[in-house]
Amino acid sequence: MAPGAQVVAALARQGRWDTVSLTDRLAVASGWSGPEEIAGVVGHLVGRWRREPTVPDDLFAAQVAELLALPRRHLRVGAPPEPVWRWPVARWTDVAMVARGLHLDEGELAWFADTGGWLRHVPDGPLGHYRRRWTASRPGTPRLIEAPAPRLAELQRRLLRRVLDRIPVHPAAHGYVPGRGPRTLALLHAARPMVLRLDLEGFFSHVTGARIAGLLRTAGYPEAVATTLAGLLVTATPPAVLRACPPAADPQPRRRLLDRLAAPHLPQGAPTSPAVANLLTHRLDRRLSGLAAAVGARYGRYADDLVLSGAANLPVHGLAARVAAIAREEGFRVRPGKTRIAPAHHRQRVTGLVVNSGSPAASRRDYDDLRALLHNAARTGPAAQNRAGHPAFREHLAGRIAWVGGGRPRRAEVLRSLFDAICWD
């Protein structure tokens, strides 16, 4: 019979974390049935934790106790059980395979994944993997943009292609999904007697590294691989950046945001963050779709924007309270004061489009504002009208024309003719 979990855990942490060193230390304990049992426990320790765990001693001992409680066949010498792959993701069964798959050596992989938490207190600069800046948001709470440095961004794009894009998202998700977008969500709720909209607070920052690692374990990755891959997708904001956060009218959301940013979280600005957030909201989408179906409503989500619509007698107040409760159970939070209830005789907007009719379109005000901007750009030159300093103002205007003119051919024709009259020389 193996020694107690407390003894194994204490011995395991007294030296180097590798197979030979662990075997030498554990062998001094009494109670082993033989060298095969020692080798089996050591194999599971290094298979589950690539490096010595950083959890407290009591938690580590509890985890070791779970390992020792496994049936004896799981502690035999030999390779761990084959992973069960749920989706057609890249089949990396150990950290060395991850490094080769991403064209790195293991040291580089550990540095980019920050497996030891070395970069959590490193200020932005040459050693950091992210470039950070604070911006204002519509609700008044500051927003932190965390853009990865070029090499990390390329690694994240590889993960996006080889892992994340191969895991299905829920049909209710319309944001950052090929073939879906703001207009498809608006069409889902067009010409409905009642529309209910809710916003999630701090959408990306609510997604933690532990939740991502759990998703990757579900996909089939062993513990060490899932933890390493999650490390490539999250970051912890350095204290100096947190101290530079601008003030907010309501201090409570700001405080909650800073608390989340201090821990490993999904960065707003990484190419992988929208896909990861969509995958981590699968259960939320499934539950809200079921809730909507139970009351004869429709449900869809665009990033942090939750939309339900139905008949004029839709129980919107009770529905909003239930949505908030489900979001809380799923690790998210509905933004206080941002719930919008719009019956048919009010302007109903979904993802910026008016959906009162069966053909969603930008509002008349959006159209008039853009038409005036294009007219002035043709009259005074585009530089004078680029007050926001867009680096690609021409492309920016073309995108706005496509958005405002979508579903309205006559509007699009007028806007394009004004655009063609602008002199870009």
Side-chain angles (χ1 to χ4, degrees), residues 13 49 51-57 59-60 63 115-117 120:
R13 299 190 113 166
W49 296 286
R51 285 180 168 77
E52 180 181 343
T54 57
V55 298
D57 289 344
L59 179 56
F60 178 54
Q63 292 170 335
T115 53
R120 296 185 186 181

Side-chain angles (χ1 to χ4, degrees), residues 250-285:
D250 186 347
Q252 292 304 316
R254 179 181 181 273
R255 181 69 263 165
R256 291 194 294 265
L257 173 65
L258 294 179
D259 289 343
R260 293 192 303 270
L261 293 178
H265 62 275
L266 203 57
Q268 184 167 351
T272 44
S273 292
V276 174
N278 269 343
L279 296 174
L280 265 297
T281 50
H282 191 285
R283 181 177 163 88
L284 173 68
D285 290 336

Side-chain angles (χ1 to χ4, degrees), residues 15-198:
R16 295 179 59 184
W17 192 268
D18 59 66
T19 302
V20 174
S21 301
L22 284 168
T23 302
D24 290 343
R25 292 198 300 277
L26 295 187
V28 304
S30 59
W32 298 109
S33 61
E36 294 84 1
E37 189 174 24
I38 300 174
V41 170
V42 170
H44 277 70
L45 286 172
V46 298
R48 181 169 182 182
W49 296 286
R50 181 170 174 264
R51 285 180 168 77
E52 180 181 343
T54 57
V55 298
D57 289 344
D58 56 347
L59 179 56
F60 178 54
Q63 292 170 335
V64 171
E66 293 177 3
L67 184 149
L68 295 177
L70 291 172
R72 290 287 296 257
R73 65 179 180 274
H74 292 305
L75 296 178
R76 290 176 184 166
V77 177
E82 286 293 319
V84 178
W85 301 102
R86 295 192 59 185
W87 301 295
V89 296
R91 298 192 172 187
W92 296 322
T93 56
D94 57 43
V95 174
M97 290 185 68
V98 176
R100 290 194 299 271
L102 297 177
H103 309 297
L104 302 169
D105 61 41
E106 291 192 49
E108 289 177 314
L109 177 60
W111 174 251
F112 282 113
D114 194 20
T115 53
W118 311 291
L119 300 179
R120 296 185 186 181
H121 300 283
V122 173
D124 284 355
L127 294 179
H129 293 321
Y130 287 86
R131 306 296 175 260
R132 299 174 169 92
R133 60 185 175 87
W134 288 101
T135 66
S137 66
R138 283 180 299 174
T141 303
R143 175 180 297 158
L144 181 62
I145 304 300
E146 299 178 290
R151 196 170 179 204
L152 177 58
E154 177 54 33
L155 293 177
Q156 291 173 339
R157 282 189 284 268
R158 290 178 193 168
L159 281 182
L160 185 63
R161 293 190 298 267
R162 303 194 63 182
V163 178
L164 302 173
D165 281 348
R166 302 183 184 189
I167 303 176
V169 300
H170 195 276
H174 290 257
Y176 318 110
V177 179
R180 305 178 216 166
R183 199 167 297 278
T184 60
L185 180 60
L187 281 169
L188 179 68
H189 301 288
R192 302 283 281 175
M194 183 69 71
V195 174
L196 170 65
R197 287 178 45 213
L198 307 96

